[in-house]
Amino acid sequence: MVQRSSNAEVMSMDLSPKMPAKAYGGEGGAYYDWSPADLPMLGAASIGAAKLHLNAGGLSLPSYSDCAKVAYVLQGAGACGLVLPEAAKEKVIPIKTGDTLALPFGAVTWWHNAQGSDAELVVLFLGDTSKGHVNGKFTNFQLTGANGIFTGFSTEFVARAWDLDQDSAAKIVSTQPGSGIVKIAAGHKMPEPRAEDRKGMVLNCLEAPLDVDIPGGGRVVVLNTANLPLVKEVGLGADLVRIDGHSMCSPGFSCDSAYQVTYIVRGSGRVQVVGIDGTRVLETRVEGGCLFIVPRFFVVSKIADDTGLEWFSIITTPNPIFSHLAGKTSVWKAISPAVLETAFNTTPEMEKMFRSKRLDSEIFFAPN
């Protein structure tokens, strides 16, 4: 059972956004991850975060993880091979920018960027590490390669498991010198992705119906059990948010004890987070490529620079619920005027002026 951090510990943590560090890689690409040593909230929230970059012809070898994950394609196009637990056949899923996949426990995956691709394939992984080996970090188990599972077994065990003679068993286990990520040999033909394998497995956040669309303000697509059923098995919700230049995202908080894990896809802007006793625990600038985490019930707000701001978040519940403190859906609009007057220690006239604002704005506020 994972122990929650105390209020004092969370309030004293460094919440500033961080970039990932390279874990391994080679000619085919590289794998980067965020460490709870650099971003302590990963451990507090029991969340892992990593990115896969594949060059043209790059292949991330078949592996499984100790965590359930959500994968989001940040850039490029390619294929994801997916074998779900107890499945008799793999799915070879064509993937492209904006695709989201839910990867439950026990899923074996490989990722491939086509040999002739003119763009890097970049995939973000966010997931729940509460049942993993290292709290706040993914542990991946490679099936093949220099550090593959079967390199640890004796030749006798491998031969018995695969019904091979011992010389063949030794050869097949040791022939691949690469580790984790390799480059496909010229002329080697990979399986063709099948469009039908996307059904029920992928939601493209750039093409899905918008859950929120504020002209001049911003747009949201929410990933939940309704539009991607596997989210229930993963236990995480997600959303893609895009706000326009100088727009503001209303101050709000997750009201179901969930953490918000946010990766900035592109653009830049300012972020403020307020925690216990009205203490501002974070005031910073964010830009594409960085990751930060908002503690449970803390209130966060963002304002985009002139380029706008786009972020992909997971929320540690499959169907998240948020409460906002500004806009027409603000909790203030529902509270009685007499209570507000006393709560703010203000006049009826000031309360009326306060209540009259943002009557037609929801969670995004376009610049005046």
Side-chain angles (χ1 to χ4, degrees), residues 3 26 105 107 110 112 117 131 176 178 204 263 283 295 344 355:
Q3 290 185 333
F105 277 107
W110 53 261
H112 177 234
S117 174
K131 298 179 181 177
Q176 173 55 271
N204 188 280
Y263 175 84
E283 179 166 8
F344 281 112
R355 189 182 293 275

Side-chain angles (χ1 to χ4, degrees), residues 127-166:
D128 175 14
T129 67
S130 61
K131 298 179 181 177
H133 283 272
V134 180
N135 198 28
K137 194 176 180 73
F138 298 134
T139 300
N140 298 317
F141 294 82
Q142 304 294 332
L143 297 188
T144 63
N147 59 347
I149 293 295
F150 280 93
T151 62
F153 282 102
S154 68
T155 304
E156 177 195 0
F157 272 59
V158 175
R160 287 284 300 274
W162 287 345
D163 192 21
L164 298 171
D165 62 74
Q166 294 210 19

Side-chain angles (χ1 to χ4, degrees), residues 2 22 38 52 71 93 106 108 111 144 147 202 220 257-258 277 283 298 308 313 316 318 336 338 342 348 350 358:
V2 176
K22 183 177 177 179
D38 297 326
L52 174 67
I93 303 169
V108 172
W111 305 81
T144 63
N147 59 347
V202 180
V220 182
S257 190
D277 294 329
E283 179 166 8
F298 283 32
S313 295
T316 55
S336 304
T342 303
M350 184 63 74
R358 299 289 187 203

Side-chain angles (χ1 to χ4, degrees), residues 54-78:
L54 290 179
N55 301 326
L59 173 68
S60 177
L61 295 172
S63 67
Y64 64 93
S65 177
D66 62 347
C67 306
K69 303 176 185 175
V70 171
Y72 180 69
V73 182
L74 294 166
Q75 175 187 306

Side-chain angles (χ1 to χ4, degrees), residues 262-320:
T262 299
Y263 175 84
I264 305 299
V265 177
R266 59 181 55 85
S268 60
R270 292 183 291 146
V271 175
Q272 291 187 355
V273 177
V274 175
I276 299 164
D277 294 329
T279 302
R280 189 186 307 158
V281 293
L282 180 65
E283 179 166 8
T284 191
R285 301 193 64 81
V286 293
E287 60 184 15
C290 68
L291 182 88
F292 68 99
I293 301 175
V294 179
R296 298 177 304 124
F297 302 110
F298 283 32
V299 179
V300 60
S301 184
K302 308 176 187 74
I303 298 179
D305 290 339
D306 55 4
T307 56
L309 191 61
E310 179 178 337
W311 65 88
F312 183 82
S313 295
I314 63 163
I315 304 93
T316 55
T317 180
N319 293 297

